[in-house]
Amino acid sequence: MKETSAKNYYLSEFSYDDGEYEITFNIIDIDFVNQTITLAITRCGKITQDTYQLLRDKDGKLYFEYGMFYENKISVDDFKEIL
């Protein structure tokens, strides 16, 4: 995904299996100035909202770290637009 406008990312979705549960992330807001991403996170039927710091990998792609110890890298490029 190209960094054009935050509204291009709105409600884009990504599913992640943490080994125990299927987790669905939906982008609520992405702020390129402050380098943050706000997500709606669905896990076990419970929906929460959290904001994460956006980081860049060695190729310049944006990602955030998720998990109890922030051990999982989730790339913004992996999110798909909901039709």
Side-chain angles (χ1 to χ4, degrees):
M1 292 183 172
K2 294 186 178 184
E3 298 175 31
T4 55
S5 173
K7 64 182 165 183
N8 291 343
Y9 294 95
Y10 184 69
L11 288 182
S12 293
E13 183 174 279
F14 176 73
S15 291
Y16 175 76
D17 186 353
D18 70 353
E20 189 174 355
Y21 298 103
E22 183 76 21
I23 302 168
T24 303
F25 298 95
N26 292 93
I27 296 175
I28 296 173
D29 185 48
I30 189 164
D31 185 342
F32 297 113
V33 174
N34 294 318
Q35 296 290 297
T36 59
I37 186 168
T38 303
L39 302 162
I41 304 163
T42 306
R43 181 176 185 255
C44 302
K46 182 179 175 187
I47 300 173
T48 58
Q49 177 180 321
D50 208 348
T51 300
Y52 295 93
Q53 190 68 37
L54 283 174
L55 306 166
R56 288 194 183 272
D57 63 10
K58 62 182 177 182
D59 298 324
K61 295 185 179 186
L62 292 171
Y63 71 93
F64 64 94
E65 296 175 329
Y66 177 80
M68 185 178 293
F69 301 106
Y70 300 102
E71 68 276 9
N72 303 307
K73 292 182 179 180
I74 299 178
S75 175
V76 174
D77 288 340
D78 292 338
F79 282 76
K80 305 279 189 243
E81 186 176 349
I82 299 173
L83 300 175

